[in-house]
Amino acid sequence: MISAPYLEVAVLVLGTVILLIESFFSKFDRRYLGYAALVGLALIFLATFFIAPQSTMSSAPFWNFYSADATSLFFKRIALATTAGVIVMMFDFAALVSSGVQGATPQSGLGEFFALPLFTCAGLMWMASAIDFVLIFVSLELVTISFYVLVGFTRRNPASLEAAVKYLVLSAVATGFLVYGITWIFGATGETNLQKIATVLSGTGLEQNAALFGGVLVIIALGFKIAAVPFHIWVADVYQGAPTPVTAYLSVGSKAAGFIVLLRVLDPFLILPQMQTLLVAIAVLTLIYGNLAALPQTNVKRLLAYSSIAHAGYLLVAVVSFSGRAVAFYLVAYLLMTLLSFAVLILVSQPAGDQLESFAGLSQRSPFLAFAMLVAMASLAGVPFTAGFLGKFLVFDAAIATHHFGLVVVAIVTVGAGFYYYFKVVRAIYWDAPPASTDKIIVSPLTRVALIALIAGTFVLGVYPQPIFDALAR
Amino acid sequence: MTTLGDYLTVSGILFAVGFSGVLLRRNVIIIFMALELMLNAANLSLVAFSRFRLGEDGLPSYNAQVLVFFIITVAAAEVAVGLAIIVALYRARRTTHVEDINSLKF
């Protein structure tokens, strides 16, 4: 039996060792570092199944900050799986990392590119366990600052730099709001631990307005992280400019961690009725804006960015209906289909670019990739027998059970809009004529295995979701 | 005698100045300075809350003061990375004005 905090330590050690090898040894193929990272992440993923239950651990003050319950373990697994998927994508992206740098070899910078996601992963795992505002703040910043570097990693590419500056400024604003919000919550309750805050808030004789002010500021900050409207302005530009594996990481990892923190922070605050109204309003705006803004997009990366805003809307519906189960399942489904679509996008866009035209006639150039993209788009849109459908079903079910009928109507109408823009991609793949002079796309064995696993996961969870519920119940 | 309210007012003004700086200024470096102002506003009110809300044993709550140290450290890390990105941007574009950073369509 392993104590839960060792998981994060293991991820950090793995990242540090890879960084040291990159710095002190020069003559070897840097891709081995990526394989080492993958193997390490797989071992740590296995270790999450042998964690000692929290009750048997000591009651040291550390456990006021850190929780090792089933939910946090589940989200740690999501973080590890996402990071592994992103590193697989980085192999396909490796050729572009040092392009445009004078005097660079194809290998330069690759070691850091494989090591940085591991530090982000450690931050995501700490976020999954954080039950105190101090740890929430520090782990959130670990994630954000390593994302600054990752977004601007291809620094000779002006789009990547521009995305990094925009992400830097807007994330730092969100950090400012988060910290100021924590300040006011502390001022009103005198505590930073979420459970103690819940106790104080349910008591009487409290400066309720101060606590509410702090809570709203924290929600604004988390709204930035999960890309909810009206705090979404960074999303489209940053997703478009960042290196594609990093975009995938941003849209899955940062969102999953944002939602677990949101669930934990809201838990004490939902005692205050104004919070509920605020969240419903944000959910409605996010659903409508995300889906409508995606309609006219012709750049696939941008289309996926708006789609990620729309999915934040469905997740918020689940949050408003207090259904942690629906949120967790939806996030797993979202992980599978988003990683799948970005993995295909990387392979297709390397010669041709991110525009929709580069997908034209993909079914003739590579039937396997065409099928993978079809599955991803069908699942994102919510076609039955895919994980995406079941995720939406659970969300709507939870919303009806808590009598949010208006929210369900808005959500179902926007799903219709989703079908239009996702199937725009499918139409380009299967019906448009391919450009005259295009080569076959080569898919490496590692990527092929990852794609097959993601496709299989999408279908299996679409008909048999029980493993996810078991993992959550433990 | 300075009260808690005085400290909170100053910190509120600092936060507002920082936030409006982010919204109104056009130079990325100045925007970055304004962001630091927002974080320091939070630091000031954290220390004030901690000092004026004494516990039953007559001691301030040290959680908030420890958080202040974390905020200072994280802000330093953020500046290190942020300035590196801004320098790289200046080298690529010869400008740090936000109006010129618009190659991605909005």
Side-chain angles (χ1 to χ4, degrees):
Chain A
M1 285 288 149
I2 310 160
S3 183
Y6 288 114
L7 294 173
E8 285 89 1
V9 175
V11 175
L12 272 192
V13 168
L14 182 66
T16 314
V17 167
I18 287 179
L19 212 53
L20 286 177
I21 295 176
E22 150 77 21
S23 318
F24 288 106
F25 298 89
S26 53
K27 282 177 188 152
F28 69 100
D29 190 345
R30 290 290 187 271
R31 275 175 302 177
Y32 287 121
L33 292 177
Y35 293 124
L38 277 182
V39 173
L41 284 174
L43 289 177
I44 296 165
F45 189 87
L46 282 181
T48 59
F49 292 95
F50 301 98
I51 295 298
Q54 194 169 350
S55 54
T56 65
M57 294 177 217
S58 73
S59 57
F62 177 72
W63 297 96
N64 292 335
F65 292 83
Y66 187 98
S67 127
D69 54 3
T71 321
S72 63
L73 275 180
F74 184 80
F75 277 88
K76 278 182 213 294
R77 284 183 205 133
I78 290 191
L80 286 165
T82 313
T83 313
V86 168
I87 290 180
V88 171
M89 285 185 218
M90 284 177 165
F91 282 106
D92 293 319
F93 195 79
L96 297 185
V97 166
S98 53
S99 65
V101 183
Q102 282 182 342
T105 60
Q107 297 270 321
S108 53
L110 217 50
E112 288 108 325
F113 200 48
F114 287 129
L116 277 167
L118 295 174
F119 297 120
T120 317
C121 180
L124 293 173
M125 288 167 74
W126 265 312
M127 267 166 96
S129 279
I131 50 168
D132 188 293
F133 272 122
V134 178
L135 186 56
I136 288 178
F137 168 72
V138 175
S139 52
L140 199 73
E141 285 310 299
L142 175 56
V143 172
T144 312
I145 292 179
S146 50
F147 265 132
Y148 294 156
V149 185
L150 279 170
V151 169
F153 202 86
T154 48
R155 66 178 195 283
R156 290 296 183 272
N157 175 356
S160 175
L161 263 184
E162 186 178 326
V165 170
K166 283 180 178 165
Y167 186 58
L168 173 74
V169 170
L170 291 169
S171 280
V173 172
T175 305
F177 276 101
L178 178 75
V179 173
Y180 206 59
I182 294 173
T183 302
W184 278 90
I185 292 172
F186 172 80
T189 62
E191 299 289 346
T192 54
N193 180 292
L194 287 171
Q195 279 156 350
K196 290 181 186 154
I197 288 174
T199 323
V200 178
L201 279 180
S202 55
T204 48
L206 172 77
E207 295 275 344
Q208 227 191 37
N209 285 339
L212 197 64
F213 177 61
V216 170
L217 286 177
V218 171
I219 296 221
I220 290 175
L222 291 175
F224 269 100
K225 304 291 171 199
I226 61 172
V229 178
F231 321 112
H232 64 280
I233 30 171
W234 59 279
V235 175
D237 284 356
V238 172
Y239 278 29
Q240 189 186 346
T244 314
V246 177
T247 311
Y249 205 9
L250 266 177
S251 76
V252 183
S254 143
K255 190 166 301 210
F259 268 100
I260 173 123
V261 172
L262 193 63
L263 279 176
R264 286 204 203 277
V265 170
L266 280 178
D267 201 34
F269 278 96
L270 283 174
I271 298 166
L272 312 171
Q274 300 95 322
M275 234 38 170
Q276 182 92 4
T277 323
L278 175 73
L279 275 174
V280 171
I282 293 179
V284 169
L285 282 176
T286 310
L287 281 171
I288 294 176
Y289 179 85
N291 280 299
L292 290 188
L295 289 177
Q297 298 304 325
T298 54
N299 181 310
V300 178
K301 236 167 148 180
R302 243 181 135 77
L303 190 148
L304 286 172
Y306 285 110
S307 127
S308 120
I309 297 179
H311 285 284
Y314 299 115
L315 282 159
L316 276 171
V317 173
V319 171
V320 173
S321 344
F322 311 111
S323 180
R325 204 173 74 138
V327 172
F329 186 84
Y330 201 99
L331 278 172
V332 174
Y334 179 73
L335 179 161
L336 292 171
M337 53 211 191
T338 310
L339 288 187
L340 191 56
S341 48
F342 276 109
V344 177
L345 176 67
I346 291 177
L347 290 169
V348 174
S349 67
Q350 280 213 1
D354 303 327
Q355 295 299 316
L356 198 55
E357 296 97 69
S358 44
F359 278 86
L362 183 67
S363 62
Q364 289 163 41
R365 285 150 64 207
S366 171
F368 174 65
L369 286 182
F371 178 69
M373 199 63 175
L374 172 67
V375 172
M377 290 298 136
S379 183
L380 282 167
V383 174
F385 304 113
T386 58
F389 171 77
L390 206 58
K392 286 203 174 67
F393 178 81
L394 287 173
V395 169
F396 295 164
D397 187 45
I400 289 171
T402 49
H403 305 287
H404 287 103
F405 297 113
L407 211 50
V408 175
V409 171
V410 173
I412 289 178
V413 171
T414 53
V415 167
F419 268 88
Y420 172 77
Y421 60 81
Y422 290 125
F423 280 85
K424 211 161 71 170
V425 179
V426 174
R427 190 187 65 196
I429 292 175
Y430 281 95
W431 279 278
D432 288 0
S437 61
T438 40
D439 306 325
K440 271 196 141 40
I441 300 169
I442 300 155
V443 186
S444 71
L446 181 68
T447 313
R448 191 175 285 269
V449 169
L451 285 176
I452 290 172
L454 289 170
I455 295 173
T458 309
F459 282 123
V460 169
L461 288 185
V463 287
Y464 184 63
Q466 202 56 41
I468 303 290
F469 300 149
D470 289 345
L472 276 171
R474 198 175 73 144
Chain B
M1 179 67 189
T2 347
T3 60
L4 176 60
D6 297 338
Y7 285 105
L8 292 184
T9 314
V10 172
S11 129
I13 292 171
L14 276 180
F15 191 82
V17 167
F19 189 52
S20 45
V22 174
L23 294 179
L24 301 176
R25 299 306 291 260
R26 286 287 159 260
N27 188 315
V28 180
I29 304 237
I30 309 252
I31 289 178
F32 216 58
M33 279 167 59
L35 288 169
E36 295 305 308
L37 212 54
M38 288 169 76
L39 290 181
N40 284 324
N43 283 345
L44 177 60
S45 49
L46 267 179
V47 174
F49 273 130
S50 164
R51 182 68 187 80
F52 281 88
R53 282 187 62 114
L54 300 181
E56 280 138 23
D57 48 2
L59 291 173
S61 162
Y62 289 110
N63 277 14
Q65 303 198 8
V66 171
L67 180 57
V68 167
F69 285 109
F70 277 115
I71 294 172
I72 292 172
T73 320
V74 164
E78 201 164 70
V79 167
V81 175
L83 284 182
I85 291 174
I86 294 173
V87 167
L89 179 84
Y90 181 76
R91 280 195 185 148
R93 292 279 183 80
R94 294 282 146 199
T95 176
T96 52
H97 267 254
V98 281
E99 275 105 358
D100 305 325
I101 312 174
N102 54 5
S103 70
L104 299 165
K105 69 174 175 186
F106 231 96

